[in-house]
Amino acid sequence: METFNLSDVTDAELLQSDRLARDACVNLDDCYQCGKCTAGCPMVHEMDLVPRQLIRMLQLGLTKRALSAKTPWICANCMVCSARCPQGVDIAAIMLAVRRTAKKQGLQPVREADLFDDAFVANIRSFGKSNEAILAAKYNLLSSHLTQDLLNAPRMAARGMIGPKIHSVKDRAAVRRLVDRALADEGDREGDQGDASVLLHPSAAAAGAATTSPGGDLR
Amino acid sequence: MRYAYFPGCSASATGVAFTLSANYVGNRIGLELVEIPDWCCCGTSAALVTNADLALALPARSLALAERMDPALDVATPCAGCYSSLAAAVHHARQSEANRAHVEELIEMPYAATADVFSFLEVMAQPESREAIAAALTTSLNGLKVASYYGCALVRPQRIAHFDDAEDPQSMDDLMRLAGAEPVEWSFKVECCGASHQISEPRAARQLIERIFEDAAANGAEAIATACPLCMLNLDMREAEINKARAAAGKAAFSIPIYYFTELLGTALGGSAKQLGIDRHFWPAASTVAMPRREVSAR
């Protein structure tokens, strides 16, 4: 079992956990650690921090540990946790907020998941539609899992599921602009949110005012 | 029954049998689908894990194009993942004027967020559709024991997907009953199939599929019905591989074909395996639906 010295928790970490909670529209104090999220999680066997523990890390301001966790990348976003939480905590939204923030920081706790989703978004940016065969081939190349599902390819082709035709929107430029704008824009918006005064940790509010410009060292 | 139609990327690819069977059923019951011009990928979980704005803007573009085509039409989509993305974008835009305006900026198009989004399951489960199906039935699935598998996106999160119960949905079970099948009680109807983790995390995710088969088999299911192309692909394409691993571990093999719920409805409406795309499955599925139909005609 991992041990943590809570005296080492920095103000920046507390501020950052507040911001993650705000991004997910969640009040971390609502979680009373019952573990129902974890009991229902279908991917929990592969997580380094179970969902309940990830929330606990954020409650305590152990944000660096949370951001380096495999957990949000292993999460399949099935939303069972959020559906069953007796306190209405949207745990799945926290998983997304932690993963997006970790990605922005250049962290890649689960390489394959990151490569796959990047390849998926790149596919959309190029064609406006998802071309499953191109996606699978690109993923296999990037991840070096070269032969994965290779034997399924001819079987899919025989069933008319994949073929030489590339599916594309007519207005590729519009979709590409949309993707680029969305990816650029959120950074700005989050910068703005850094100035918001809604802080969930009272201690962090004091610390933020005293030592750091809120959000300043979070990127 | 007229909708703006969002096919989704899988409709002409891995989910081609869903398209064939849904169109067959749709034609038989007077469902009119008008394809949204130049719709794009909904972004699905890849956009969601990447960026919140991207996850809103991609579905919103198609919704805005649907509005431009005909503002009076609601939107219908076969795919559970597309349904989830589209419905989440509508929900977000309706939360506040600021949200809606922000989405318009992202997509560079007006978007009023007036149209609702329906999955094909919800479309077919509506009273009008059910009556039309009942009137058009030509045969019965003759007590075929079906495990209705809803998966995640059609029932969660409840603030968005609320047409059926989140833990024990019934809409597909009711449709199966209508087609003469016998829905089985089982525990995994809203469990996750692993989604794209079957590609990125196959070692960790395979057991999710295996558990679904295990519970369906333990409850006497002869078939599994799904309303999601990714659930379908994950179960249907990987059943043989899972059986191979089970054989190596000395466990019994599964022998459960997977169907789109529209394939089973289409069968009861008289469609052939070829017309409905049932002959395109990985796990052989044509003989299971052919057998009960023979029994019916012999009666």
Side-chain angles (χ1 to χ4, degrees):
Chain A
M1 192 169 180
E2 291 174 78
T3 55
F4 299 92
N5 186 347
L6 295 182
S7 308
D8 295 340
V9 172
T10 63
D11 296 341
E13 277 192 284
L14 285 168
L15 275 169
Q16 192 165 33
S17 73
D18 283 337
R19 190 167 132 174
L20 286 165
R22 209 159 53 231
D23 284 353
C25 299
V26 160
N27 185 344
L28 291 168
D29 295 339
D30 284 344
C31 170
Y32 50 41
Q33 292 283 297
C34 72
K36 193 163 186 179
C37 49
T38 304
C41 176
M43 290 298 289
V44 71
H45 54 278
E46 194 67 11
M47 292 175 172
D48 50 352
L49 295 174
V50 302
R52 181 191 62 74
Q53 289 173 317
L54 185 87
I55 307 289
R56 190 67 183 140
M57 296 296 146
L58 294 173
Q59 285 178 328
L60 295 172
L62 294 162
T63 317
K64 273 187 201 144
R65 179 66 190 91
L67 286 169
S68 66
K70 287 182 181 177
T71 301
W73 303 72
I74 293 296
C75 166
N77 197 38
C78 78
M79 292 172 287
V80 158
C81 49
S82 302
R84 294 183 184 165
C85 176
Q87 287 286 88
V89 177
D90 193 348
I91 299 120
I94 294 176
M95 296 287 173
L96 289 175
V98 173
R99 179 169 166 177
R100 289 178 193 145
T101 303
K103 181 162 179 65
K104 265 183 219 156
Q105 294 184 355
L107 300 170
Q108 198 185 42
V110 181
R111 184 168 170 269
E112 279 81 3
D114 192 38
L115 292 176
F116 177 83
D117 288 312
D118 275 357
F120 201 113
V121 171
N123 209 328
I124 300 173
R125 189 176 177 275
S126 298
F127 307 111
K129 287 181 183 168
S130 172
N131 286 270
E132 290 156 323
I134 294 176
L135 172 64
K138 187 172 173 187
Y139 170 77
N140 282 12
L141 278 175
L142 289 170
S143 65
S144 308
H145 300 309
L146 294 178
T147 58
Q148 181 177 314
D149 281 329
L150 201 61
L151 292 174
N152 283 324
R155 300 165 70 202
M156 291 171 111
R159 287 162 175 80
M161 292 176 168
I162 56 174
K165 184 170 176 259
I166 289 179
H167 299 283
S168 170
V169 290
K170 284 193 209 85
D171 197 349
R172 285 193 198 196
V175 176
R176 177 165 296 202
R177 270 202 313 279
L178 177 157
V179 171
D180 291 343
R181 195 179 309 111
L183 293 178
D185 198 50
E186 196 191 41
D188 297 337
R189 228 157 40 100
E190 287 201 348
D192 296 339
Q193 284 180 357
D195 295 327
S197 55
V198 190
L199 289 168
L200 303 174
H201 285 292
S203 58
T211 58
T212 55
S213 65
D217 51 353
L218 302 183
R219 246 158 276 135
Chain B
M1 289 192 288
R2 192 158 187 262
Y3 294 90
Y5 173 45
F6 183 89
C9 300
S10 71
S12 53
T14 50
V16 65
F18 202 178
T19 308
L20 290 170
S21 57
N23 285 348
Y24 182 88
V25 175
N27 286 337
R28 291 294 306 278
I29 66 170
L31 178 67
E32 232 186 301
L33 299 171
V34 194
E35 186 164 336
I36 300 169
D38 212 35
W39 58 272
C40 65
C41 174
C42 76
T44 185
S45 57
L48 204 58
V49 299
T50 303
N51 180 295
D53 277 350
L54 186 62
L56 294 169
L58 283 167
R61 176 181 177 272
S62 300
L63 292 165
L65 289 168
E67 254 176 26
R68 185 187 284 175
M69 174 179 79
D70 186 344
L73 290 184
D74 285 327
V75 175
T77 183
C79 172
C82 298
Y83 163 73
S84 189
S85 308
L86 293 164
V90 174
H91 179 81
H92 176 83
R94 287 178 181 172
Q95 287 295 99
S96 72
E97 181 51 28
N99 282 2
R100 197 192 55 77
H102 178 64
V103 168
E104 284 188 334
E105 268 173 46
L106 287 169
I107 63 175
E108 294 177 318
M109 266 190 284
Y111 176 51
T114 48
D116 287 322
V117 176
F118 295 85
S119 74
F120 272 19
L121 178 60
E122 189 176 1
V123 168
M124 305 274 181
Q126 287 179 353
E128 197 184 349
S129 308
R130 290 175 50 87
E131 277 166 31
I133 292 167
L137 287 173
T138 62
T139 183
S140 162
L141 294 174
N142 207 29
L144 181 72
K145 292 198 164 89
V146 176
S148 297
Y149 176 50
Y150 299 77
C152 308
L154 291 169
V155 293
R156 292 187 294 268
Q158 296 100 313
R159 67 176 178 276
I160 291 163
H162 46 67
F163 74 95
D164 207 336
D165 189 88
E167 294 289 352
D168 188 15
Q170 293 295 329
S171 50
M172 203 190 311
D173 294 74
D174 289 345
L175 286 169
M176 292 299 101
R177 216 171 274 123
L178 188 62
E182 185 188 318
V184 302
E185 294 264 350
W186 67 312
S187 306
F188 274 60
K189 47 166 62 168
V190 296
E191 287 294 315
C192 179
C193 73
S196 64
H197 280 358
Q198 295 299 349
I199 296 173
S200 61
E201 296 294 324
R203 186 187 49 76
R206 282 295 192 272
Q207 58 183 280
L208 274 63
I209 303 176
E210 188 169 356
R211 290 196 296 244
I212 290 164
F213 277 119
E214 260 169 6
D215 195 66
N219 288 289
E222 298 168 297
I224 295 175
T226 174
C228 171
L230 189 51
C231 293
M232 178 65 165
L233 189 67
N234 280 341
L235 266 61
D236 181 43
M237 190 171 80
R238 307 201 185 276
E239 183 167 358
E241 176 201 320
I242 284 170
N243 277 340
K244 217 168 158 186
R246 283 175 70 86
K251 292 183 194 167
F254 302 118
S255 183
I256 303 181
I258 330 296
Y259 300 93
Y260 290 110
F261 76 102
T262 43
E263 291 175 331
L264 292 175
L265 285 180
T267 300
L269 293 173
S272 70
K274 190 172 163 55
Q275 283 173 310
L276 299 167
I278 294 174
D279 59 340
R280 297 174 185 241
H281 292 200
F282 289 96
W283 191 264
S287 61
T288 302
V289 285
M291 276 195 311
R293 292 178 64 201
R294 271 203 303 275
E295 285 173 29
V296 165
S297 54
R299 222 181 245 172

